[in-house]
Amino acid sequence: MSRLIIRKVAVLGAGVMGAQIAAHCANADVPVILFDLPAKEGPANGVVDKALAGMKKLDPAPFAAKDRAQYVEAANYGSDLARLGECDLVIEAIAEKMEWKLDLYAKVVPHLKAGAIFASNTSGLSIEALAAGMPDDRRSQFCGIHFFNPPRYMPLVELIPTAATDPVLLDGLEAWLTTRLGKSIVRAKDTPNFVANRVGVFSILAVLHHTARLGLAFDEVDLLTGPRIGRPKSATFRTADVVGLDTLVHVLGTMQATLPNDPWQAHFRTPEWLQALIAKGALGQKTKCGIYRKQGKQIQVLDLHLQDYRESGGEILPEVVEILKLRSPAEKFAQLAAHPHPQAQFLWSIFRDVFHYCAVHLGGIADNARDIDLAMRWGFGWAQGPFETWQAAGWKAVAEMVRDDIAHGRAMSDVPLPAWVFEREGVHAPAGSYSAAEDTLKPRSALPVYPRQLYPDRVLGEAPDDRGETLWENAGVRLWRRADQDARIGIVSIISKMHAVGEEVMDGLLEAIARAETELDGLVIWQPAPFAVGANLQQVGEACRAGQFDLLEKMVAKFQRTSMRIKHAQVPVVAAVQGMALGGGCEFVMHAAHRVFALESYVGLVEAGVGLIPAGGGSKEFALQAHALAQRAAGGDVFPYIQNAFQTIAMATVAKSAQEAIALGFGRAGDDVLFNANEILYAAIRRARALAESAWRPALPNPAVTVAGRNGIATCEMMLVNMAEGGFISAHDYRVAKAAATALCGGEVDTNRRVSEQWILDVERAQFVELLKTEKTQQRIAHMLETGKPLRN
């Protein structure tokens, strides 16, 4: 199959979705032309210009780095349609009105270049009906391409072909979306709301129904339907506010209008209280009032009994909390179904009805059960999909419970479970996942893009991943390899809790590097997110309480030695980074020969948050960077380059993307940024092989470094004095920041003095240990261990 090449994209519609789809294409270095209507006043592109300006203020940010915005050009339908001829992919993302979309198609299609893909981002309209608005010779290049909001962060994209869509084009588009934009693809059937929204919206309907039936409060339900059952923190009603209550009602309306024969049709209606909120303009987060609202610092929730808002709170019955803590899913569901309290009955009911709905509709809405489960994980943030949850709890036992509830009128519909449910032990097996439409197990996609994902998202019951061959391990790390990828490239994975760096991890890394130097050609540091959350604070806190500061100094020295072994290993060490790489984890990343980042890598030296400074060589690496930059600049002054690093460390700045991490100096310009995190191990192994077979050599140890010295420290202190006088930092913040300045500037030495790499490491270590001895730093460490939050003291 030839590779699909997309050099430029056009997005039609600069609303919330269209603008953010354009931003994410720009994140991937794909130039975009963003279209909308000509502005009624002012510049013709004013509508798009306003959308682009608005995105720069959003948090989380649609743009992965500030410079990405330059890749999006503004255009309008009035004067710029000819520019569509420049684009290989055109994505329509206007409002969900069939007549509007068809009218736009008639205007833009004549301007498309030959072979260009035209796709609709509709969230639920019929793709076949939309295709009817295309000329016959264009229908083979038309499909649905449904991104989830926000497009940068939500992995799911549903691809929906028509009967005429070219399958080769669709395969190429799936590969491009997977690798270039980092998306997780589900091929959906052309049914209302497709896969994820069909199940997800029904799940919300079930929550609405049982909330009313059992008389529960909205905040009470959000406590029940969040992380305790493997759902996002925003749970149900907060999520509805974020999505927009008007959007929710629109989707409900689509289901009501397009699914007249659905057995659950009676429940596809908008509750009166929800209609009343919309009627008065309370649409949720975008209007700052919906089911929840903020009054001053107080979060309030709508109370239907009071017909007014009250302070949000809510409690879960302790017995229900204990049931939810049970490790056995079978026991958990049995106890929820048997417990008389409304909260327990509510939880069993919402799971039961979703299981029932998915079983009845599996053949009609999805190719197989895996697609439904992954769609709910990727599109709605569920920890497990509905079929996985059912199978984990005991397929046949749960099926009997559901059948019994249907027979006794307790379920939302009296339609029976399909016969296939009772003929199987589950829907996921090593051979594949069940397709009700074809009555067979369907394997995963065989597209060539997927072997790059060595550890893809698996569903419960699927064939397990290849764990590779263990070469050596201790309590902190595992050294292993994948012979099917490259038997001479080792992989070292941190296996401590949250991948925190303690003594056992440092010992393990030192041993792994030593073994790699004699037995392997290269080494990759990789583990699933987070990469590493920094030093093991528990070990540090215990040593502080015992007054073992000599021991702590030795521990820091070993930390530095580990970083330096990563940097000076006689084989290339590649860091494959996804998720958080904080503190010591960031320092390991900085010392690697090369970095392969997933786009969503959040990297930073955060030690200031616990009253410390980087002492695993992070300060030293910034000093070396400043020296190198100064050597290439007129005058050779290092301080201008130290100043940015000082602010980064003192403010505990965490990069919000891999691109930002490189810009801040945690990576290098030549590092790789991959958009699909599941591909980084594959790429890192190949990068290590390429380095091993090229002219790569380890950095020479102990180079002479020009440092900013006393003048640099004094200049940093001037900034601190102003901040302290303005009340922006405390006295201890000042002390910590001065210690950071001292390490970055090479200590109390003459300005522009040349010192060794080891000298700066010694300064780092001394400053770190002195801070550990202070009462306020010890308080910060204790508070972080107790609460997980920084203390301002």
Side-chain angles (χ1 to χ4, degrees):
M1 184 181 76
S2 60
R3 185 165 64 93
L4 179 69
I5 297 175
I6 295 176
R7 296 181 177 87
K8 183 177 282 190
V9 171
V11 177
L12 309 180
V16 171
M17 285 301 295
Q20 294 200 41
I21 291 169
H24 193 56
C25 290
N27 289 337
D29 298 329
V30 180
V32 187
I33 306 175
L34 179 59
F35 284 81
D36 212 300
L37 294 166
K40 294 179 181 178
E41 298 178 357
N45 293 333
V47 175
V48 176
D49 291 338
K50 183 178 179 181
L52 291 172
M55 282 198 294
K56 294 175 184 178
K57 301 173 185 175
L58 289 179
D59 187 18
F63 289 113
K66 292 177 181 178
D67 70 335
R68 299 295 99 181
Q70 68 181 309
Y71 291 100
V72 182
E73 293 182 76
N76 69 83
Y77 305 133
S79 58
D80 300 319
L81 286 179
R83 297 205 62 197
L84 290 170
E86 303 171 21
C87 301
D88 304 295
L89 170 64
V90 178
I91 301 172
E92 170 268 303
I94 68 169
E96 292 288 277
K97 290 186 180 292
M98 179 70 73
E99 63 275 19
W100 291 6
K101 290 178 186 286
L102 293 177
D103 180 62
L104 180 63
Y105 293 5
K107 293 175 182 175
V108 303
V109 167
H111 299 278
L112 301 179
K113 74 177 183 180
I117 303 169
F118 190 62
S120 175
N121 183 58
T122 178
S123 60
L125 296 179
S126 167
I127 300 300
E128 288 287 357
L130 290 170
M134 305 288 291
D136 290 346
D137 63 349
R138 279 286 181 185
R139 291 183 186 176
S140 65
Q141 287 114 38
F142 182 77
C143 66
I145 181 172
H146 179 214
F147 288 81
F148 275 66
N149 189 26
R152 172 184 163 188
Y153 300 96
M154 295 302 291
L156 180 61
V157 168
E158 292 173 319
L159 270 185
I160 313 99
T162 70
T165 304
D166 179 355
V168 174
L169 175 147
L170 205 68
D171 288 349
L173 185 57
E174 178 169 346
W176 184 83
L177 288 165
T178 298
T179 290
R180 191 65 181 266
L181 296 192
K183 294 302 162 192
S184 301
I185 308 301
V186 166
R187 296 273 186 106
K189 296 185 178 184
D190 187 18
T191 55
N193 292 340
F194 311 130
V195 178
N197 277 344
R198 181 74 174 270
V199 175
V201 172
F202 177 78
S203 175
I204 293 170
L205 285 168
V207 169
L208 291 172
H209 173 73
H210 293 299
T211 298
R213 179 177 70 86
L214 295 163
L216 301 180
F218 297 142
D219 51 346
E220 183 181 11
V221 168
D222 276 353
L223 286 174
L224 291 165
T225 58
R228 284 184 173 88
I229 62 168
R231 307 281 170 81
K233 288 181 181 179
S234 56
T236 302
F237 292 107
R238 287 185 188 277
T239 297
D241 270 355
V242 171
V243 170
L245 301 183
D246 54 338
T247 302
L248 174 60
V249 169
H250 173 78
V251 176
L252 291 179
T254 300
M255 292 180 74
Q256 196 168 32
T258 57
L259 296 168
N261 299 318
D262 191 294
W264 284 264
Q265 163 69 217
H267 298 286
F268 299 168
R269 60 179 184 270
T270 305
E272 290 183 6
W273 62 265
L274 184 51
Q275 290 176 341
L277 283 177
I278 292 171
K280 68 178 185 180
L283 307 181
Q285 186 171 281
K286 58 189 171 188
T287 60
K288 300 185 179 178
C289 183
I291 298 168
Y292 290 89
R293 72 179 185 186
K294 191 172 183 179
Q295 293 290 94
K297 293 185 177 181
Q298 187 184 86
I299 303 297
Q300 296 183 336
V301 65
L302 179 65
D303 189 314
L304 296 183
H305 297 293
L306 298 175
Q307 291 292 298
D308 200 358
Y309 289 87
R310 60 165 171 80
E311 185 176 358
S312 177
E315 293 182 354
I316 302 180
L317 185 74
E319 292 173 48
V320 173
V321 172
E322 292 307 309
I323 293 173
L324 292 176
K325 288 180 180 177
L326 292 172
R327 291 194 174 186
S328 165
E331 189 177 351
K332 185 183 301 182
F333 278 117
Q335 291 197 25
L336 286 173
H339 200 289
H341 193 276
Q343 292 180 351
Q345 287 300 302
F346 168 83
L347 287 170
W348 161 243
S349 297
I350 64 171
F351 276 104
R352 174 202 63 213
D353 290 323
V354 170
F355 295 161
H356 187 190
Y357 192 82
C358 289
V360 169
H361 287 299
L362 173 58
I365 69 172
D367 179 65
N368 60 75
R370 178 178 55 248
D371 284 352
I372 286 183
D373 281 344
L374 291 179
M376 296 315 296
R377 284 209 232 156
W378 295 335
F380 279 75
W382 291 13
Q384 279 190 320
F387 285 121
E388 290 179 283
T389 305
W390 181 350
Q391 188 164 324
W395 183 264
K396 290 199 169 179
V398 170
E400 291 296 339
M401 291 166 67
V402 175
R403 178 158 65 180
D404 186 62
D405 276 9
I406 295 169
H408 288 86
R410 291 188 287 266
M412 288 172 66
S413 170
D414 61 1
V415 65
L417 284 170
W420 65 260
V421 169
F422 301 98
E423 296 166 358
R424 307 192 57 79
E425 297 292 335
V427 290
H428 302 305
S433 293
Y434 184 67
S435 168
E438 300 178 41
D439 191 28
T440 188
L441 293 177
K442 300 290 285 288
R444 280 181 171 258
S445 170
L447 285 179
V449 68
Y450 289 115
R452 293 173 57 88
Q453 299 184 18
L454 302 186
Y455 295 97
D457 292 335
R458 299 283 186 198
V459 291
L460 183 81
E462 193 175 0
D465 288 315
D466 181 354
R467 282 187 44 81
E469 176 193 356
T470 299
L471 303 175
W472 178 85
E473 65 183 323
N474 70 350
V477 308
R478 174 185 177 229
L479 175 63
W480 54 292
R481 65 183 168 195
R482 283 281 300 257
D484 62 326
Q485 298 299 312
D486 192 324
R488 296 284 300 174
I489 300 297
I491 306 162
V492 59
S493 298
I494 299 173
I495 57 176
S496 57
K497 184 178 179 181
M498 290 296 287
H499 309 144
V501 182
E503 289 267 12
E504 70 285 358
V505 171
M506 291 184 276
D507 289 339
L509 284 171
L510 290 168
E511 178 67 19
I513 292 168
R515 287 172 178 262
E517 287 177 329
T518 59
E519 302 168 16
L520 301 167
D521 298 334
L523 193 62
V524 172
I525 303 175
W526 173 84
Q527 51 275 335
F531 179 82
V533 295
N536 186 326
L537 276 184
Q538 193 71 46
Q539 290 181 359
V540 174
E542 288 171 1
C544 282
R545 287 192 293 275
Q548 298 174 319
F549 296 107
D550 288 345
L551 177 66
L552 283 165
E553 182 162 8
K554 291 177 182 176
M555 187 186 299
V556 178
K558 183 185 285 188
F559 210 134
Q560 293 179 334
R561 191 162 69 254
T562 306
S563 293
M564 296 297 279
R565 284 290 283 129
I566 291 171
K567 182 173 184 175
H568 298 293
Q570 296 303 301
V571 294
V573 179
V574 175
V577 187
Q578 65 186 107
M580 294 183 292
L582 305 177
C586 174
E587 291 174 296
F588 287 166
V589 169
M590 293 174 75
H591 283 82
H594 191 87
R595 284 143 294 276
V596 177
F597 288 107
L599 175 70
E600 301 306 332
S601 296
Y602 310 114
V603 186
L605 297 170
V606 296
E607 289 85 351
V610 288
L612 293 168
I613 65 166
S619 303
K620 178 265 303 175
E621 281 299 296
F622 272 130
L624 263 65
Q625 288 180 32
H627 167 80
L629 290 166
Q631 294 299 301
R632 296 196 291 269
D637 185 8
V638 298
F639 185 75
Y641 308 104
I642 287 293
Q643 187 172 0
N644 290 337
F646 171 65
Q647 291 175 336
T648 297
I649 291 174
M651 301 299 291
T653 301
V654 176
K656 294 180 180 178
S657 71
Q659 291 162 347
E660 237 182 61
I662 292 169
L664 287 169
F666 301 130
R668 302 290 182 272
D671 290 336
D672 302 309
V673 177
L674 274 64
F675 276 50
N676 197 312
N678 288 330
E679 296 181 350
I680 65 168
L681 179 57
Y682 174 93
I685 291 170
R686 277 146 187 79
R687 178 61 71 180
R689 166 55 58 199
L691 289 172
E693 294 186 0
S694 68
W696 177 87
R697 298 289 183 273
L700 291 171
N702 240 5
V705 186
T706 302
V707 294
R710 295 188 187 92
N711 287 353
I713 298 169
T715 306
C716 290
E717 273 204 275
M718 288 172 61
M719 291 187 279
L720 295 175
V721 168
N722 292 333
M723 293 178 72
E725 289 179 350
F728 297 109
I729 60 173
S730 68
H732 195 59
D733 291 331
Y734 185 109
R735 178 168 184 174
V736 173
K738 183 181 177 183
T742 302
L744 284 167
C745 296
E748 295 284 353
V749 297
D750 292 340
T751 299
N752 292 329
R753 178 178 165 182
R754 292 173 76 82
V755 301
S756 68
E757 197 173 17
Q758 186 59 48
W759 172 278
I760 305 174
L761 286 170
D762 292 343
V763 174
E764 264 189 4
R765 188 172 67 256
Q767 294 294 322
F768 184 92
V769 174
E770 285 305 307
L771 286 170
L772 276 177
K773 293 176 182 178
T774 65
E775 181 182 2
K776 290 191 180 296
T777 286
Q778 292 174 21
Q779 289 171 350
R780 291 188 182 190
I781 292 171
H783 190 268
M784 180 63 75
L785 288 169
E786 290 168 12
T787 69
K789 297 177 182 178
L791 172 67
R792 179 82 185 277
N793 62 353

